[in-house]
Amino acid sequence: DRLKKSPLCGTSHDARIWLTLDCCGLTTASVTWLLVLFSEMVVTKALLKRKPLGFAAQAGLFNLVSILAMISHARAMLSDPGAVPKGAEPLQRDSERAKAAAAAKAGFRMRAKGWCHRCGSYKPPRAHHDSVTGRCVVKLDHYCPWTNNAIGVRNHKFFLLFIFYVFLMCLYTLGFFLFLLCESLSADANTKFDRRRHKKYRDDELPAVNAANCAVAFFAVLFGLFTLCMLCDQWTVLTTNVAKIDRLKGDEDDLNI
């Protein structure tokens, strides 16, 4: 009976599967999967057209990284980011937060350290309320629309792996298509020799010059720069153990916990 009453998906305390039911987040997460699959298909097709066996091995490695990226994305999206459970109580060492939370709960102070007035419950150190998921999340770094989830203590690793694998995909894709472009320019300069090398292509279609390859190269530049910036930003989080929101708020008492 309890399972029947519990929602299948959501971010509530009794949801069986953690999933943020946000239209924009679900759309961007779906677009992320489509872009990864499209890039995987185009790059693999271009690699398998090459004769040397090394290109086939590269296609296998590229597909492996793509699969790891999608798995990391799914884990980051479907994992509880570290939401504070219902009925959470402060530890004995958090006496000041416990007093403030008790005062707020009694109605004396609606906004107090250690109390979330939106959740109406105790808020542990380094926890912050995320308005999209509607929950307080421990070590909340930010809400990521691409993974459709808040990034907190329990899914931060999967988020880092996701952007790292996407960066590797973008880096390899850009390098490979630059190689094809140089090869195509060489074919223009040495028509007779290179046309015979590329006889598997039509005379009017050189390997790097088609709409799919250009689109994937554009996405590789765009998301490669984006993920590189994200990795640099997250490097600061990893080395200092201070989440982005904690860094902005600068609450020294909480940062020492």
Side-chain angles (χ1 to χ4, degrees):
D1 294 338
R2 186 178 178 182
L3 288 175
K4 291 180 180 179
K5 294 179 182 179
S6 301
L8 178 62
C9 299
T11 57
S12 60
H13 295 280
D14 55 350
R16 285 176 277 171
I17 299 175
W18 181 277
L19 178 64
T20 306
L21 301 177
D22 178 70
C23 292
C24 292
L26 290 170
T27 301
T28 51
S30 301
V31 169
T32 301
W33 274 66
L34 289 174
L35 287 175
V36 172
L37 290 172
F38 174 69
S39 301
E40 184 180 11
M41 179 187 69
V42 173
V43 174
T44 302
K45 184 178 179 181
L47 282 168
L48 292 179
K49 280 185 176 181
R50 319 302 298 173
K51 286 185 177 180
L53 185 62
F55 286 104
Q58 290 181 46
L61 287 174
F62 186 81
N63 277 269
L64 177 62
V65 173
S66 302
I67 292 170
L68 289 173
M70 289 187 287
I71 291 173
S72 300
H73 182 275
R75 293 294 301 273
M77 181 172 66
L78 300 175
S79 295
D80 181 342
V84 179
K86 188 176 182 180
E89 296 290 339
L91 300 174
Q92 292 182 353
R93 65 183 182 183
D94 301 328
S95 57
E96 291 185 8
R97 299 181 72 91
K99 291 177 182 177
K105 186 175 183 179
F108 297 108
R109 295 174 61 190
M110 286 304 295
R111 290 181 179 270
K113 186 177 181 180
W115 181 262
C116 180
H117 68 281
R118 282 175 285 190
C119 291
S121 62
Y122 171 69
K123 184 167 68 175
R126 302 190 68 175
H128 302 280
H129 187 86
D130 176 59
S131 58
V132 182
T133 59
R135 298 286 297 276
C136 284
V137 178
V138 177
K139 291 184 70 174
L140 174 68
D141 189 73
H142 66 285
Y143 172 82
C144 176
W146 299 103
T147 58
N148 185 37
N149 202 0
I151 305 302
V153 67
R154 295 183 63 183
N155 67 344
H156 204 156
K157 181 182 86 170
F158 303 123
F159 171 74
L160 291 173
L161 288 173
F162 168 65
I163 59 176
F164 175 69
Y165 289 135
V166 170
F167 175 72
L168 288 182
M169 289 178 63
C170 293
L171 192 64
Y172 177 81
T173 300
L174 190 60
F176 177 63
F177 283 127
L178 283 175
F179 165 75
L180 289 184
L181 183 60
C182 292
E183 193 178 47
S184 297
L185 295 175
S186 175
D188 282 335
N190 305 280
T191 307
K192 292 183 179 179
F193 174 74
D194 283 301
R195 289 293 182 182
R196 287 197 299 269
R197 274 182 62 196
H198 301 302
K199 61 184 179 180
K200 53 184 171 296
Y201 300 99
R202 299 197 311 269
D203 288 342
D204 60 342
E205 183 187 12
L206 291 172
V209 185
N210 60 63
N213 288 2
C214 291
V216 171
F218 170 76
F219 289 130
V221 173
L222 180 64
F223 290 104
L225 290 173
F226 176 73
T227 50
L228 177 61
C229 292
M230 287 297 299
L231 286 170
C232 292
D233 178 70
Q234 290 299 310
W235 178 255
T236 305
V237 176
L238 289 174
T239 54
T240 60
N241 193 30
V242 178
K244 190 180 297 182
I245 292 181
D246 288 328
R247 191 164 67 237
L248 291 172
K249 289 189 174 183
D251 193 335
E252 298 297 330
D253 293 337
D254 283 358
L255 297 185
N256 293 327
I257 295 176

